[in-house]
């Protein structure tokens, strides 16, 4: 299957985005460690990392990665761009192995391999981008009852995690941080897609910034990114890259294994059943 030119551009931008973001995690991790030695750690509510140059270098790499990811949404469908973000975990895990001396466990290696295989499968079968002539079209899709219900549930769960779970659990704080970032990230995708389309159409001479939905999507992107940035720093300050990659990839492994088990549970009985039917037919013929 031949990919369209826009999909190839989106793929290249999304892959380079994962490389920048993956490397930024490691650089920011080093900066967070240095800042933690000199002041209050980010995991304990401190913000001393804002005075650490290495953290800002990592932040610059992350911004470059997010810009590339942002541009990728303007060319390729979200179903192609979003899963490729998982490659940033692999980039960070490999770099952490060589730079931070954090060893990746076998379970994490298997999960990383599954992420690569899944990403390749999605890339090969990615659909062509649907032509969108206005941000109002995305607004129409975003205001469908199903998505509105999901958005309300995602925001409610995120608020519960922020104001209740994080302050009451110590051992599972990292899972709460990841859940908050994931929920906010799910809402960021459609907003980033809308803003990227708005910029693309505006550069082509069709101004989209005269519409209120465009500015609404921009506000959503800013809020979600700030929330993710805050809790991502807390997460990386309290855990190393290997632990995070192992747990995230392990989650992918469990989901994939469960899905395959469910889809193939009746395959083992199919052949014996057909064989018995053939046997019964032969007996009847005799």
């Amino acid at each position: 299957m031949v990919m369209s030119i826009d999909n190839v551009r989106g793929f290249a931008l999304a892959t380079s985005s994962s490389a920048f973001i993956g490397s930024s995690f490691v650089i920011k991790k080093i900066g967070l460690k240095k800042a933690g030695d000199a002041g209050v750690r980010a995991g304990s509510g401190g913000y001393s990392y804002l005075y650490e140059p290495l953290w800002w270098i990592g932040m610059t790499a992350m911004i470059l990665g997010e810009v590339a990811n942002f541009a990728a949404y303007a060319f390729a469908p979200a179903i192609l761009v979003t899963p490729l973000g998982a490659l940033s975990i692999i980039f960070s895990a490999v770099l952490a192995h060589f730079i931070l001396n954090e060893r990746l466990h076998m379970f994490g290696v298997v999960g990383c391999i599954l992420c690569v295989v899944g990403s390749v499968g999605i890339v090969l079968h990615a659909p062509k981008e649907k032509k969108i002539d206005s941000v109002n079209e995305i607004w129409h899709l975003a205001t469908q009852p199903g998505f509105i219900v999901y958005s309300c549930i995602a925001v409610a769960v995120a608020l519960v995690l922020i104001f209740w779970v994080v302050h009451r659990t110590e051992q599972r704080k990292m899972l709460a941080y990841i859940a908050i970032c994931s929920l906010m990230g799910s809402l960021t995708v459609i907003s980033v897609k809308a803003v990227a389309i708005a910029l693309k159409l505006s550069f082509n001479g069709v101004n989209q910034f005269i519409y209120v939905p465009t500015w609404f999507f921009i506000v959503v992107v800013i809020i979600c990114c700030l929330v993710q940035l805050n809790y991502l720093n807390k997460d990386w300050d309290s855990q190393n890259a290997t632990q995070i990659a192992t747990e995230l990839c392990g989650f992918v492994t469990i989901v994939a294994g469960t899905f395959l088990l469910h889809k193939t549970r009746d395959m083992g009985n199919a052949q014996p059943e057909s064989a018995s039917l053939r046997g019964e037919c032969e007996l009847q013929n005799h």
Side-chain angles (χ1 to χ4, degrees), residues 130-143 208:
K130 179 182 177 181
K131 185 178 180 181
I132 298 177
D133 298 321
S134 174
V135 175
N136 290 326
E137 295 182 26
I138 302 179
W139 176 257
H140 174 72
L141 297 174
T143 52
Q208 298 296 305

Side-chain angles (χ1 to χ4, degrees), residues 7-286:
N7 279 5
V8 172
R9 292 172 180 170
F11 170 77
L13 288 168
T15 304
S16 61
S17 168
S18 295
F20 276 112
I21 294 175
S23 60
S24 74
F25 287 155
V26 176
I27 299 173
K28 288 169 65 180
K29 177 69 177 182
I30 298 174
L32 287 170
K33 283 185 175 180
K34 288 189 174 182
D37 295 337
V40 181
R41 300 178 65 89
S44 301
Y47 293 93
S48 57
Y49 59 85
L50 294 175
Y51 301 97
E52 177 57 48
L54 272 177
W55 185 86
W56 283 106
I57 294 176
M59 177 56 63
T60 302
M62 176 172 281
I63 291 174
L64 292 175
E66 293 296 346
V67 169
N69 187 61
F70 185 88
Y73 279 103
F75 294 100
I79 194 175
L80 169 63
V81 177
T82 304
L84 290 176
L87 297 179
S88 63
I89 303 173
I90 300 174
F91 279 111
S92 63
V94 173
L95 290 175
H97 175 79
F98 293 102
I99 297 177
L100 301 177
N101 296 320
E102 297 176 356
R103 186 177 179 181
L104 188 63
H105 301 290
M106 183 57 64
F107 190 65
V109 173
V110 174
C112 289
I113 294 174
L114 286 177
C115 286
V116 173
V117 173
S119 298
V120 171
I122 290 174
V123 169
L124 293 178
H125 299 88
K128 291 184 178 180
E129 178 69 279
K130 179 182 177 181
K131 185 178 180 181
I132 298 177
D133 298 321
S134 174
V135 175
N136 290 326
E137 295 182 26
I138 302 179
W139 176 257
H140 174 72
L141 297 174
T143 52
Q144 295 297 312
F147 187 77
I148 291 177
V149 171
Y150 169 78
S151 300
C152 293
I153 294 175
V155 172
V157 173
L159 291 175
V160 170
L161 290 171
I162 293 173
F163 294 106
W164 190 75
V165 176
V166 170
H167 300 289
R168 291 177 178 267
T169 58
E170 290 295 334
Q171 297 180 347
R172 299 186 180 274
K173 269 190 175 183
M174 191 194 75
L175 294 177
Y177 293 154
I178 293 176
I180 293 170
C181 293
S182 299
L183 290 169
M184 292 294 100
S186 66
L187 299 179
T188 307
V189 170
I190 187 171
S191 300
V192 168
K193 180 71 175 178
V195 177
I197 293 294
L199 288 172
K200 182 179 179 181
L201 293 174
S202 297
F203 287 144
N204 290 333
V206 184
N207 187 11
Q208 298 296 305
F209 290 91
I210 60 177
Y211 301 118
V212 175
T214 302
W215 294 101
F216 175 82
F217 285 127
I218 291 175
V219 172
V220 172
V221 169
I222 294 174
I223 294 175
C224 291
C225 288
L226 289 176
V227 173
Q228 292 177 82
L229 179 63
N230 181 51
Y231 287 98
L232 190 63
N233 282 318
K234 295 179 183 293
D235 186 16
W236 275 80
D237 183 55
S238 57
Q239 301 290 334
N240 58 48
T242 318
Q243 289 174 307
I244 295 175
T246 300
E247 295 191 16
L248 291 179
C249 293
F251 175 75
V252 175
T253 305
I254 294 171
V255 172
T258 303
F259 173 77
L260 292 175
L261 180 63
H262 176 73
K263 297 298 289 185
T264 60
R265 62 182 179 180
D266 296 328
M267 293 179 62
N269 298 326
Q271 185 174 357
E273 183 179 356
S274 59
S276 62
L277 289 175
R278 287 196 300 269
E280 290 179 1
C281 292
E282 292 176 358
L283 289 175
Q284 291 177 0
N285 291 332
H286 289 295

